[in-house]
Amino acid sequence: MTELDQEIKEQIPLTLNNEADVVLTPVKNIKAVFKEQLKENVLFLATIAGVVLGITLGFILRQFFTFNDNQIAYFGFFGQLFLRMLKFLILPLIATSLISGIAGLGSNSAGKIAARALTYYFSTTMTAVVMGIILVVIIQPGSGKSSDVNQSFKLPIDTSKYVTTHDTLLDLVRNLFPDNIIEMAFREYETTFQQEYKYHLLYSNGTNRTLRFLPSGLTNSSELTIIKEFDFYKAVGGSRRSLNVLGIIVFCFVFGGVVASMGKEGEILVKIFEALNNCSVKMIKLVMIISPLGIFSLIVATVIEMRDPSQVFARISMYMVTVILGLAIHAFVILPTLYVVVTRKNVFKFAKNMFDALFIAVATASSTAALPTTFECIEEKNKINRLISRFVLPVGATINMDGTALYEAVAVIFIAQLNDRKLEFIDLVVTSLTATLAAIGAASVPSAGLVTMLIVLGALNLPTHQISLIYTVDWFLDRLRTTVNVWGDSVGAGIIDHLSRKEIEAIEMEHRKHDENNELNQNQESAFDAKSNQV
């Protein structure tokens, strides 16, 4: 019996004289329940309507009109405002959720739960990568399509930028330990590379010299010829505009653990961050009121901006099939099986309760944009303890990128196949490890996978400019892999909540005892004050 059936049954008056004598008056009560359900889901239904209308209007407009880039940007204006407001609130939401969650768990319990979470994240991401590699090796979507290699399209990233795998991984570690608490809110460390040259000086008398630095004033003349030759790339420390989420997570984890260890002294800080967290959630709920309009705007702009869909899909249809098949297996087979095996609970009910968050992920292509709705679905519908969700979901939205890792592994091997490059077993191992680590470093924003894919391509010495062929369908696949990312975070929260039942029960028991002691102390103080006043 479903929850709706149970609710209807409770509201239907019954007169039972015997087993055959049953009088039901269901009409009025069914209408009441329907209205209540409609009221609770009005925002979700409006969002679905926004998506349908956006797709319809987008295809109608592109059929009869031609728009330039500026005009397309106008269609997406309200969508940009919606995403900007959500991104603005992500920092306070993540920071307050982590600090209040870890402080509530206590340093010992937080360490155990963190170990479970990281084990889950790494194992599922690696499983997704291996699944993608197996599928792309079997299906061979890039074989016989070398004629498509020279296709070029406008890209949002600089593919000529020099990157190295080891420096990128070192940047990941550096960002775990930011040197400025203010700067980590808007900048993160990034190693850049500048070209270094050497200069060959050829004199007319036959003397030759090679210098790394050319003296000022020295130029070509009848007696001297200067030849400039590229020497090497020099690594230079720098930064780029981006929220350093990894640094924020480490800081909040340590800060929350220290607050928990302070005992009574840190209680006021815990209450402050809990209040700030509740405030952030309420502000995000206000922003979500305009989500149907924002998503409608984003969908219209995306559909209008598409190149000829039939031509693009025909060119790389097998690549899309491979990615979609891998994502489907991971989302519908691997993750549900893991959830059922560990928790012994109904995964269909769990998935149904997560539908709102998954729909937002599809519409926005951003894990962070879906995070507020994910919190609501996890805590209110699936009844996951807030102490778990406050830690697991913000961290998962940052480093648990199953869909992105699978997508990158498939895309890189697809490009290798386009270039008739045969990958050895060690190349596949490098791909799996690099794709996993690159996915961890990917920002949870639209099309971040394209940026981190440069790292994986660089690890295998594959041409980076060929990302352009994949970019033509990235807008579509990005939505699917983001949905898998959010689904993976949600399943992880359910599994870790189940595995951490003993710790949670102990913590809640301790909190109840603490509240009872506080209440007793307050009553004693009140009684003492009353006696003092009488005297």
Side-chain angles (χ1 to χ4, degrees):
M1 181 179 291
T2 65
E3 294 178 359
L4 181 59
D5 294 334
Q6 182 66 30
E7 190 173 353
I8 293 173
K9 183 177 178 180
E10 290 174 355
Q11 295 185 28
I12 295 175
L14 301 178
T15 303
L16 298 176
N17 297 325
N18 53 55
E19 291 184 3
D21 184 14
V22 180
V23 179
L24 302 179
T25 56
V27 177
K28 183 177 179 181
N29 293 298
I30 288 177
K31 287 183 177 179
V33 173
F34 178 77
K35 287 181 179 179
E36 184 178 346
Q37 292 291 324
L38 185 63
K39 183 178 179 181
E40 289 179 0
N41 295 283
V42 63
L43 186 62
F44 175 65
L45 295 174
T47 304
I48 292 179
V51 171
V52 173
L53 291 174
I55 293 173
T56 305
L57 181 61
F59 276 106
I60 291 173
L61 290 174
R62 66 175 288 124
Q63 183 71 27
F64 296 102
F65 303 97
T66 301
F67 300 98
N68 58 38
D69 290 344
N70 291 334
Q71 292 169 332
I72 294 174
Y74 297 147
F75 283 103
F77 176 71
F78 285 106
Q80 290 175 357
L81 290 183
F82 171 63
L83 289 179
R84 286 172 67 89
M85 286 188 283
L86 281 180
K87 290 176 183 178
F88 175 79
L89 293 168
I90 286 303
L91 175 58
L93 178 67
I94 290 177
T96 57
S97 295
L98 281 172
I99 292 174
S100 60
I102 292 168
L105 286 170
S107 54
N108 292 332
S109 298
K112 293 178 182 178
I113 292 171
R116 292 183 185 120
L118 293 176
T119 301
Y120 168 81
Y121 295 151
F122 187 79
S123 59
T124 54
T125 302
M126 183 62 75
T127 302
V129 170
V130 172
M131 173 60 64
I133 290 175
I134 291 172
L135 288 175
V136 74
V137 169
I138 293 174
I139 298 175
Q140 297 281 320
S143 298
K145 295 181 180 292
S146 56
S147 59
D148 293 331
V149 169
N150 295 323
Q151 294 290 339
S152 61
F153 301 93
K154 181 181 177 182
L155 286 171
I157 57 174
D158 181 12
T159 57
S160 63
K161 182 179 177 182
Y162 182 76
V163 294
T164 64
T165 305
H166 58 276
D167 280 303
T168 304
L169 298 180
L170 289 176
D171 286 349
L172 250 169
V173 178
R174 291 187 184 103
N175 282 318
L176 291 173
F177 307 98
D179 60 356
N180 190 311
I181 192 172
I182 304 299
E183 194 177 61
M184 72 177 179
F186 57 89
R187 301 198 75 85
E188 64 180 358
Y189 189 94
E190 181 184 46
T191 299
T192 56
F193 295 88
Q194 63 183 28
Q195 294 180 340
E196 294 291 322
Y197 297 89
K198 55 185 177 182
Y199 301 88
H200 301 287
L201 307 183
L202 309 179
Y203 293 92
S204 58
N205 60 7
T207 305
N208 298 331
R209 295 176 61 194
T210 300
L211 301 175
R212 288 195 177 279
F213 302 99
L214 189 67
S216 60
L218 195 63
T219 58
N220 285 307
S221 64
S222 59
E223 298 180 353
L224 173 64
T225 301
I226 302 174
I227 299 176
K228 183 180 179 181
E229 181 185 0
F230 170 75
D231 192 5
F232 65 96
Y233 284 102
K234 180 180 178 181
V236 180
S239 61
R240 62 186 174 94
R241 287 184 59 87
S242 177
L243 178 66
N244 183 6
V245 183
L246 292 176
I248 289 170
I249 286 174
V250 171
F251 169 77
C252 292
F253 190 88
V254 175
F255 188 88
V258 171
V259 170
S261 66
M262 292 172 65
K264 190 173 182 179
E265 227 180 346
E267 287 179 7
I268 186 170
L269 282 174
V270 176
K271 291 180 179 178
I272 288 172
F273 279 103
E274 285 179 348
L276 288 172
N277 180 250
N278 293 333
C279 181
S280 300
V281 171
K282 288 183 178 180
M283 290 178 68
I284 287 175
K285 285 183 177 179
L286 291 176
V287 173
M288 293 304 294
I289 293 174
I290 67 166
S291 60
L293 178 60
I295 290 172
F296 167 77
S297 173
L298 290 171
I299 295 294
V300 171
T302 301
V303 172
I304 295 175
E305 194 176 16
M306 281 192 309
R307 293 179 178 272
D308 185 1
S310 58
Q311 181 183 358
V312 171
F313 291 163
R315 184 182 301 125
I316 54 175
S317 57
M318 289 309 297
Y319 162 72
M320 292 182 63
V321 168
T322 306
V323 174
I324 293 171
L325 181 60
L327 294 175
I329 293 173
H330 191 72
F332 296 120
V333 179
I334 295 175
L335 291 177
T337 302
L338 185 62
Y339 180 83
V340 171
V341 168
V342 175
T343 66
R344 307 291 182 181
K345 295 179 181 178
N346 187 345
V347 70
F348 297 105
K349 181 180 178 182
F350 185 88
K352 179 179 74 71
N353 291 336
M354 293 305 306
F355 195 76
D356 291 9
L358 300 178
F359 192 81
I360 295 293
V362 172
T364 62
S366 171
S367 298
T368 52
L371 187 57
T373 312
T374 309
F375 269 114
E376 183 178 351
C377 293
I378 280 288
E379 294 174 357
E380 297 181 11
K381 294 184 177 181
N382 279 320
K383 307 301 179 184
I384 301 299
N385 194 289
R386 292 185 69 190
L387 294 175
I388 297 296
S389 63
R390 287 181 184 184
F391 171 72
V392 173
L393 292 181
V395 176
T398 306
I399 67 175
N400 186 37
M401 300 287 181
D402 299 351
T404 302
L406 185 148
Y407 162 82
E408 289 181 355
V410 172
V412 168
I413 298 176
F414 170 70
I415 289 176
Q417 292 171 353
L418 285 178
N419 290 275
D420 296 324
R421 165 88 176 270
K422 185 178 180 181
L423 297 178
E424 303 295 335
F425 178 75
I426 187 63
D427 294 323
L428 299 179
V429 173
V430 170
T431 301
S432 61
L433 292 174
T434 311
T436 301
L437 294 172
I440 292 173
S444 47
V445 296
S447 295
L450 281 178
V451 181
T452 54
M453 198 184 298
L454 295 175
I455 302 169
V456 192
L457 288 170
L460 296 176
N461 293 319
L462 290 170
T464 56
H465 68 275
Q466 290 172 8
I467 293 179
S468 59
L469 185 62
I470 293 170
Y471 178 65
T472 56
V473 292
D474 185 71
W475 63 271
F476 176 69
L477 296 178
D478 191 17
R479 283 162 166 73
L480 299 184
R481 65 178 185 258
T482 300
T483 307
V484 174
N485 292 341
V486 173
W487 173 232
D489 296 343
S490 306
V491 170
I495 290 174
I496 294 163
D497 179 76
H498 178 80
L499 295 176
S500 307
R501 285 177 299 175
K502 292 182 179 179
E503 287 85 357
I504 295 300
E505 288 173 1
I507 291 168
E508 290 179 341
M509 180 72 71
E510 185 180 341
H511 286 177
R512 281 195 296 269
K513 288 181 179 179
H514 185 268
D515 292 339
E516 289 172 2
N517 290 334
N518 285 342
E519 186 177 354
L520 181 61
N521 291 334
Q522 289 176 0
N523 292 337
Q524 289 175 348
E525 289 176 2
S526 299
F528 179 77
D529 292 340
K531 288 181 180 180
S532 300
N533 293 332
Q534 289 176 1
V535 173

